[in-house]
Amino acid sequence: MNIYNLWMTRFGALSPLRQVAIMVGMATISSVILAVSAFFVIGLQTPYRVAAVTTGIVVLVSLPLGAFLVGLNYKLKQLAEQLDLDSRRDDLTGLLNRAEFYLQTQQLFARSRPIDSAGALLYIDADYFKAINDRFGHATGDGVIHELGRVIKSSIGERDLAARIGGEEFTVFLADADLGRANWIAHKILIATRAIGRELGLERTTITVSIGISLHTPGQSLEETLAIADKYLYSAKHQGRNRVVYG
C-alpha cells in the first residue's frame, strides 16, 4: 500500500468531526503560509494585488483538498459497489445466492412474452456429499463445492443464471433454452463433475451430481418451475444418482 492509500485509509477511519477539523486546519495553515509569502514577495499595496493573491490562494488550497475529497469519494463508491456485489453472491463459489437468483429469474420471467417459455431450469445436487465431508473433512468438502461452482459457471452462457441455493444444491436457469439445450448443458455439467475428484487429489473417489430439468411453461411461476425440477431431481436420486432426469 503506497503512502497516499495509507493516508486515505487512516483518514477515512476517523470520525466526521475529526475529518472536518483536519481539512479546515490544513486549509487555514496553507492559506496563512501563502498569504504571508505573497506579502513579502509581491506586496499587497493595491486592491488588484489583494484580489489576485486571494484568488491564487483559494485555487492553490482548494485544488489538493478537492482532489483528496474526490479520491476519497471514489474509493467509498468502489467499496460500496464491492459490498453490494458480495451481498448478491455466494462466498464459496462466486455464483449468485438464493435471493439474487430468485430476483433475477423473476425479472427474466417478467420480460418474456406471456405466450413464450422463458427457458429451462436445472436443479443440481451433489451425490453423497455428507460422506465426502465425513471422509475427507470440511475443507475438502468446500473444495468440491468450489469446483462444482466453477464447472457450472464454465458450462453456461452469458445470459444464463446460476446459483448456489443450499449446502450442496445448485440451480441454473438457461434463458430461452429448449429441452434439447437444457439436456446438453446438464450432461456437460454431469461429465465435467466426474473429474473433480481427480483434480482435487481424492484417490479412487468420483464426484457426481444428480440433475432434474424443468422446462418453464408460459404463465408458470418460478416456484412452480423449481418444484417440477426438484421432483425430477428426486427421481434421479431414486434411480441411482449420477444422472439427468426430465419429463
Side-chain angles (χ1 to χ4, degrees):
M1 181 181 293
N2 58 40
I3 295 176
Y4 176 75
N5 286 335
L6 181 62
W7 163 244
M8 290 280 280
T9 301
R10 290 183 176 178
F11 182 82
L14 297 175
S15 67
L17 183 60
R18 288 189 176 184
Q19 291 182 20
V20 171
I22 289 173
M23 287 189 291
V24 171
M26 291 174 62
T28 302
I29 292 170
S30 301
S31 299
V32 169
I33 293 173
L34 290 170
V36 171
S37 301
F39 177 81
F40 285 108
V41 173
I42 63 174
L44 298 175
Q45 293 86 357
T46 67
Y48 302 106
R49 288 187 177 182
V50 172
V53 169
T54 302
T55 302
I57 289 173
V58 170
V59 171
L60 290 173
V61 171
S62 62
L63 277 176
L65 286 177
F68 174 77
L69 291 174
V70 168
L72 183 60
N73 181 66
Y74 177 72
K75 282 190 171 293
L76 289 174
K77 183 179 179 181
Q78 283 186 313
L79 178 60
E81 290 175 349
Q82 186 60 48
L83 289 173
D84 178 62
L85 180 63
D86 291 344
S87 71
R88 293 184 280 117
R89 295 195 175 274
D90 171 63
D91 292 339
L92 193 55
T93 62
L95 301 179
L96 300 177
N97 59 28
R98 176 191 288 268
E100 188 64 18
F101 177 80
Y102 272 62
L103 176 64
Q104 292 195 27
T105 306
Q106 287 168 342
Q107 290 174 345
L108 194 152
F109 281 20
R111 290 195 299 269
S112 64
R113 297 196 309 169
I115 61 172
D116 292 335
S117 167
L121 189 142
L122 276 56
Y123 208 141
I124 306 166
D125 186 78
D127 297 328
Y128 302 113
F129 186 71
K130 184 179 182 302
I132 295 171
N133 272 335
D134 292 343
R135 181 180 176 187
F136 299 104
H138 289 280
T140 298
D142 286 349
V144 170
I145 295 298
H146 175 79
E147 287 301 301
L148 273 172
R150 179 189 60 77
V151 165
I152 292 170
K153 195 183 307 182
S154 65
S155 299
I156 63 176
E158 291 183 0
R159 296 179 59 240
D160 302 326
L161 304 173
R164 181 187 179 204
I165 61 170
E168 65 271 17
E169 295 181 340
F170 299 82
T171 52
V172 172
F173 194 83
L174 304 170
D176 299 325
D178 57 13
L179 196 55
R181 178 171 182 260
N183 187 39
W184 175 61
I185 294 293
H187 277 88
K188 277 181 64 177
I189 295 170
L190 192 77
I191 294 168
T193 299
R194 294 170 185 159
I196 289 177
R198 183 175 65 254
E199 291 170 357
L200 293 178
L202 307 180
E203 296 181 5
R204 292 178 293 180
T205 301
T206 302
I207 309 299
T208 64
V209 293
S210 299
I211 304 176
I213 300 177
S214 172
L215 191 63
H216 171 256
T217 59
Q220 192 176 58
S221 69
L222 175 59
E223 288 75 15
E224 291 170 330
T225 310
L226 275 167
I228 295 170
D230 187 35
K231 180 185 72 173
Y232 289 129
L233 172 62
Y234 179 81
S235 179
K237 294 284 188 181
H238 186 70
Q239 292 178 36
R241 296 175 169 80
N242 188 25
R243 66 194 64 228
V244 177
V245 175
Y246 53 88

